[in-house]
């Protein structure tokens, strides 16, 4: 029997982390979670450690280290406690794992993602911000080290599955990402004036964290996925399309020069994409049920309403500008979404904050990680400075 995969689950307490651990637990002879990492939720991380008994547990918030260490000791676990981003990156690059599920939300996941790529690991990539912020650097590091990058966003996994051997080949004409349309599909801008954070995070199809749920509601999530697809598959903007498909059963389509179009379908459950990444090139059980098209009936497809949801347009513009523009887009969006979730700005203000940051900070060449981090920092500063002008209208 082959040696079991040793897997680091980064963002273990989030929705993607939970799905990954569910799949891993179904295959105890083939894989084991050896590293679990979380942001600041010590209690949730300890509960996962008691269930999965990893070799290492990492909490990003260094002030939580003692609570994590003491909790592991009290539970009688041999799991070693670690804290901080540097400790996580060091563990990811070590022989403590051969596979990394990168599911830390936001730019905070970049260091560990790069560490996995540079150390030649199998990288199951759910942290789209890493590619949006530093796609050229991440993909170059993976190529240089021989790392396997397998996307586990449902749409990019679908493209991966439709391509021969999971790789881009000559003869691919275009790819199409599908979008559910989010909870506000079909609404006008006037109808979106007073929507609440609770309404925005109530996604009709997917179970996700609050930040990515808001991104889905604004269509920024799809914009980030377009940028991600550009880096993953090496296609220009004019060969990456988006179509709204509210049933969320068709996850992506790949069109070939001979006129064929292949589509990947499945129930809206992240465990499918995770099972693809963990088992590739084999197909393994994910725990996801069968897709019965007779039970779902009609499948609908329509163009996205970019006038009402301009974040998709802003993301495309940032991708076409290149350089540091995607980093600016991502950072400003993180600030704006956080402010919306805290009820400091309105839903429609999110796009305005992002557009303002892009206008204030023209792109410069993305020649290094330092340049990208500087762009990220500047964008956050500009976005934070813009928040007060929207504060009164959010009450």
């Amino acid at each position: 029997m082959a040696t079991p995969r040793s897997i680091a689950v980064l963002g273990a307490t989030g929705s993607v982390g939970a799905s990954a651990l569910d799949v891993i637990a179904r295959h105890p002879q083939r894989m084991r979670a050896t590293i679990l990492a979380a942001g600041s939720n010590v209690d949730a991380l300890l509960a996962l450690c008691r269930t999965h008994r990893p070799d290492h547990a990492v909490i990003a918030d260094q002030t939580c280290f003692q609570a994590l260490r003491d909790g592991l000791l009290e539970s009688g676990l041999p799991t070693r406690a670690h804290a901080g981003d540097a400790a996580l990156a060091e563990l990811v690059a070590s022989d403590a794992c051969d596979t990394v599920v990168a599911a830390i939300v936001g730019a905070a996941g970049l260091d560990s993602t790069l560490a996995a790529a540079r150390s030649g690991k199998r990288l199951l990539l759910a942290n789209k911000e890493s590619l949006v912020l530093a796609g050229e650097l991440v993909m170059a590091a993976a190529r240089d080290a021989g790392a396997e990058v397998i996307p586990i966003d449902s749409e990019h996994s679908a493209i991966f599955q439709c391509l021969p051997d999971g790789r881009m080949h000559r003869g691919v004409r275009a790819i199409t990402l599908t979008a559910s349309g989010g909870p506000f599909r079909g609404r006008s801008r006037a109808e979106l004036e007073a929507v609440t954070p609770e309404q925005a995070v109530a996604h009709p199809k997917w179970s996700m964290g609050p930040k990515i749920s808001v991104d889905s509601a604004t269509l920024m999530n799809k914009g980030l996925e377009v940028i991600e697809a550009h880096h993953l598959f090496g296609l220009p903007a004019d060969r990456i399309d988006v179509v709204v498909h509210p049933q969320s059963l068709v996850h992506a389509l790949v069109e070939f020069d001979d006129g064929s179009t292949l589509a990947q379908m499945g129930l809206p459950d992240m465990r499918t994409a995770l099972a693809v990444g963990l088992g590739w090139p084999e197909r393994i059980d994910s725990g996801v049920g069968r897709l019965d098209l007779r039970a779902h009936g009609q499948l609908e497809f329509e163009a996205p309403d970019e006038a009402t949801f301009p974040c998709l347009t802003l993301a495309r513009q940032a991708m076409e500008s290149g350089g540091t523009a995607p980093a600016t887009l991502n950072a400003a969006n993180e600030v704006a979404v956080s402010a919306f979730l805290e009820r400091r700005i309105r839903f429609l203000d999110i796009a305005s904050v992002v557009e303002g940051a892009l206008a204030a900070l023209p792109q410069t060449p993305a020649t290094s990680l330092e340049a990208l981090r500087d762009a990220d920092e500047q964008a956050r500063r500009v976005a934070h400075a813009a928040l007060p002008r929207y504060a009164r209208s959010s009450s």
Side-chain angles (χ1 to χ4, degrees):
M1 179 182 291
T3 303
R5 284 196 172 275
S6 52
I7 302 165
V9 182
L10 316 186
T13 58
S15 58
V16 176
S19 294
L21 289 168
D22 182 85
V23 175
I24 292 167
R26 293 172 186 275
H27 303 276
Q29 305 305 313
R30 301 183 56 146
M31 56 190 73
R32 176 173 171 259
T34 55
I35 302 171
L36 298 182
S40 59
N41 193 336
V42 173
D43 290 341
L45 181 57
L46 286 169
L48 291 176
C49 289
R50 286 190 285 268
T51 299
H52 299 281
R53 303 182 70 85
D55 299 328
H56 304 274
V58 189
I59 196 79
D61 185 345
Q62 298 195 42
T63 64
C64 298
F65 172 73
Q66 186 171 337
L68 175 62
R69 183 191 59 190
D70 293 350
L72 291 170
L73 288 172
E74 289 169 8
S75 299
L77 294 172
T79 304
R80 293 181 57 191
H82 308 264
D85 294 339
L88 178 59
E90 184 177 344
L91 269 177
V92 162
S94 75
D95 59 6
C97 65
D98 56 44
T99 302
V100 178
V101 179
I104 296 172
V105 174
L110 177 58
D111 284 346
S112 51
T113 297
L114 269 171
R118 287 169 174 163
S119 54
K121 303 297 172 74
R122 172 174 286 195
L123 176 57
L124 276 58
L125 192 57
N127 174 260
K128 60 175 58 66
E129 290 85 0
S130 291
L131 288 186
V132 172
L133 180 63
E136 292 180 16
L137 296 178
V138 171
M139 296 307 292
R143 284 191 299 271
D144 291 345
E148 268 186 303
V149 179
I150 302 181
I152 52 175
D153 266 345
S154 60
E155 295 81 3
H156 302 97
S157 173
I159 296 166
F160 178 86
Q161 293 176 62
C162 288
L163 294 171
D165 303 320
R167 299 174 182 172
M168 184 58 66
H169 289 257
R170 292 176 61 186
V172 173
R173 183 180 295 167
I175 59 178
T176 299
L177 307 175
T178 61
S180 70
F184 306 134
R185 168 179 162 261
R187 297 201 195 180
S188 67
R189 288 186 65 81
E191 292 173 310
L192 297 177
E193 287 283 347
V195 300
T196 66
E198 290 78 13
Q199 292 169 324
V201 301
H203 196 280
K205 292 292 181 181
W206 296 94
S207 174
M208 305 181 292
K211 193 269 181 183
I212 193 172
S213 296
V214 174
D215 283 349
S216 178
T218 64
L219 292 192
M220 178 61 86
N221 191 51
K222 206 54 49 179
L224 297 179
E225 288 176 3
V226 168
I227 298 172
E228 187 181 7
H230 163 68
H231 291 297
L232 284 167
F233 304 111
L235 290 178
D238 61 0
R239 292 170 63 189
I240 305 172
D241 198 9
V242 172
V243 64
V244 172
H245 168 52
Q247 290 77 25
S248 295
L249 298 178
V250 177
H251 302 301
L253 305 98
V254 176
E255 181 184 354
F256 296 88
D257 286 339
D258 59 12
S260 298
T261 297
L262 299 184
Q264 189 271 342
M265 302 180 68
L267 295 173
D269 192 316
M270 283 299 301
R271 291 177 297 173
T272 296
L274 283 155
V276 169
L278 290 167
W280 188 262
E282 296 180 48
R283 294 281 183 165
I284 63 174
D285 175 39
S286 66
V288 178
R290 294 182 63 189
L291 172 61
D292 182 357
L293 288 174
R294 294 167 298 185
H296 292 276
Q298 187 173 359
L299 302 181
E300 303 170 271
F301 301 92
E302 61 192 48
D305 180 359
E306 296 189 45
T308 303
F309 303 96
C311 284
L312 177 56
T313 303
L314 292 173
R316 284 191 177 278
Q317 291 172 351
M319 182 178 72
E320 290 168 0
S321 295
T324 56
T328 299
L329 171 97
N330 179 69
N333 180 63
E334 286 190 16
V335 170
V337 170
S338 178
F340 168 68
L341 289 170
E342 294 167 358
R343 305 180 195 278
R344 296 166 60 197
I345 65 173
R346 299 173 305 164
F347 179 79
L348 290 176
D349 296 331
I350 295 173
S352 299
V353 171
V354 174
E355 185 174 19
L358 286 169
L361 298 168
Q363 70 86 17
T364 57
T367 53
S368 67
L369 191 54
E370 289 70 28
L372 291 165
R373 289 196 188 283
D374 183 59
D376 178 272
E377 183 179 334
Q378 288 189 59
R380 290 176 193 277
R381 190 161 53 243
V382 167
H384 276 296
L387 295 179
R389 79 183 65 154
Y390 300 104
R392 188 175 300 172
S393 62
S394 66
S395 58

